[in-house]
Amino acid sequence: MNPKVSVVIASYNTEKYIIECVNSVLNQDYPNVELVVVNDGSTDATGGLLAEVARNYANVKVVNQVNQGQSAARNNGVNEATGEFVVFLDSDDIFDVSLVSKCVTALTSTHSDIVFFNAETFYDDDEYAVEFSPTYVRDSSLYDKIMDSKTFFKESWRLNNYFVSPWMYMSRTQLVRDNPFYPGIIHEDNLFTTSILLAQSSTIVCLNESLYKRRIRRDSVMTSKKSHRHIIGYLTVARKLPILRSSTDEELNVCLNNFISRCVSFSINDAKSCYGRMPKELKKEYLSAFKEIGIMNIKKKILVKYFLAQL
């Protein structure tokens, strides 16, 4: 018995990459894959290319919507998914041919809810590799262990090895339905993955396998010039994370508060990059956020950074 796996792609104006991306799903060595692609109001040829694919493959479903952003597109894709498990793929990236089969084997053999894996990067512009070279490899101490999702969060954080990218794991579809992406912001992955791990106790396993190919290109959300959206994205995440605190696990709360502090820090960095001196209205946003988070839960050095950003 091969449980169905749904692959969800949110696509916006990626005509240059979408066919290579889709083909990496269609060429999987696993027999029961459903592909759901959400065309998020693309204005280039993406929609036409996807329509042609859907005409030729019965296991491909294309959802066309007015532009709502990546979070809403992913949520709508999950709503259309019929698989027992779900995995995300960005529309400019590529799956290894055995990603689905290896993940399903790990999930079913260990009776786990989530399986994590590694990724490798490649570049549109090789010169850009000198400027920006992220790594997506987990600490070796996490491999081939079955553990509770909250323990995995704590261990990953302590190892300085916590990755939030939603395309670095496969999970039971119901987990994602119970913890949808927060709409209307960027950096939503920080909230999504942390909610998947902490909102309820799940069983996870981590593979020592690089199964995902991450394209690094200029002008993506990750590499583009910082804007107000970047600032508010991280700050919104920091405001929403406290609901995941535990009433019994103080060790988890320490790790979570440190993660919240990091999100606030990244927001301040982006504010300095965007504005130089912080605008008055933005100061009010931070003060309101500090109140919601609890100022005693934010690292002192982050609060100092906030006050220095006003000078």
Side-chain angles (χ1 to χ4, degrees):
M1 187 69 178
N2 297 305
K4 183 188 287 188
V5 174
S6 297
V7 179
V8 175
I9 301 174
S11 183
Y12 176 72
N13 286 355
T14 49
E15 61 181 6
K16 185 177 177 181
Y17 312 109
I18 191 62
I19 295 301
E20 182 182 19
C21 172
V22 165
N23 283 341
S24 77
V25 178
L26 298 176
N27 293 330
Q28 288 292 297
D29 63 5
Y30 185 79
N32 197 7
V33 178
E34 168 189 68
L35 175 57
V36 181
V37 190
V38 181
N39 176 28
D40 188 30
S42 296
T43 57
D44 63 0
T46 297
L49 292 169
L50 290 173
E52 181 65 23
V53 173
R55 280 193 291 269
N56 293 321
Y57 292 89
N59 63 329
V60 176
K61 184 184 300 184
V62 175
V63 179
N64 293 295
Q65 64 180 39
V66 296
N67 182 254
Q68 299 176 48
Q70 183 167 248
S71 290
R74 283 172 169 165
N75 288 340
N76 291 338
V78 171
N79 289 339
E80 295 289 333
T82 61
E84 181 179 349
F85 302 107
V86 65
V87 60
F88 294 99
L89 171 60
D90 280 3
S91 60
D92 52 355
D93 295 341
I94 304 168
F95 275 176
D96 179 87
V97 68
S98 62
L99 183 148
V100 174
S101 61
K102 288 180 176 178
C103 285
V104 170
T105 296
L107 287 166
T108 55
S109 65
T110 62
H111 305 287
S112 294
D113 303 301
I114 310 169
V115 57
F116 290 86
F117 47 83
N118 297 331
E120 59 188 48
T121 57
F122 67 104
Y123 295 82
D124 271 359
D125 179 356
D126 288 338
E127 293 182 6
Y128 198 37
V130 178
E131 303 174 36
F132 189 75
S133 54
T135 58
Y136 300 101
V137 179
R138 300 185 194 278
D139 190 276
S140 59
S141 66
L142 299 172
Y143 295 141
D144 301 320
K145 293 180 180 177
I146 303 169
M147 67 179 85
D148 176 84
S149 57
K150 296 178 182 180
T151 301
F152 179 78
F153 171 77
K154 291 185 289 186
E155 287 297 313
S156 297
W157 183 260
R158 279 198 294 262
L159 292 164
N160 193 29
N161 194 240
Y162 183 48
F163 296 101
V164 299
S165 304
W167 36 261
M168 287 185 74
Y169 54 92
M170 180 185 291
S171 69
R172 294 192 184 278
T173 304
Q174 192 58 48
L175 264 177
V176 178
R177 291 206 173 105
D178 292 342
N179 301 279
F181 288 91
Y182 189 89
I185 62 169
I186 56 176
H187 303 308
E188 72 285 351
D189 298 356
N190 292 271
L191 179 58
F192 174 76
T193 295
T194 309
S195 297
I196 290 287
L197 292 174
L198 302 186
Q200 59 200 82
S201 290
S202 302
T203 304
I204 74 98
V205 63
C206 187
L207 299 179
N208 183 14
E209 297 263 11
S210 183
L211 300 176
Y212 190 100
K213 302 180 191 305
R214 175 68 163 160
R215 187 189 305 271
I216 308 296
R217 60 185 176 92
R218 297 180 190 275
D219 300 320
S220 67
V221 171
M222 182 170 58
T223 62
S224 61
K225 184 178 179 180
K226 304 308 178 187
S227 68
H228 192 75
R229 292 178 67 234
H230 291 83
I231 301 164
I232 296 301
Y234 274 126
L235 195 57
T236 301
V237 169
R239 297 171 94 147
K240 298 297 180 181
L241 283 170
I243 196 173
L244 298 172
R245 289 178 182 140
S246 171
S247 59
T248 58
D249 190 340
E250 192 54 38
E251 183 185 16
L252 185 149
N253 290 339
V254 169
C255 294
L256 182 60
N257 285 336
N258 287 338
F259 180 54
I260 292 170
S261 291
R262 187 174 76 175
C263 290
V264 173
S265 179
F266 286 171
S267 176
I268 294 169
N269 290 344
D270 289 348
K272 289 168 67 177
S273 175
C274 186
Y275 294 114
R277 187 176 182 182
M278 193 176 291
K280 183 178 179 180
E281 289 303 310
L282 190 54
K283 294 178 189 177
K284 294 180 181 178
E285 287 279 354
Y286 280 101
L287 292 175
S288 176
F290 293 164
K291 184 177 180 180
E292 292 177 29
I293 296 164
I295 199 162
M296 298 302 293
N297 296 314
I298 302 171
K299 284 187 172 182
K300 290 181 180 178
K301 67 179 181 180
I302 307 304
L303 296 173
V304 171
K305 179 187 283 191
Y306 163 72
F307 287 111
L308 290 177
Q310 301 177 48
L311 301 178

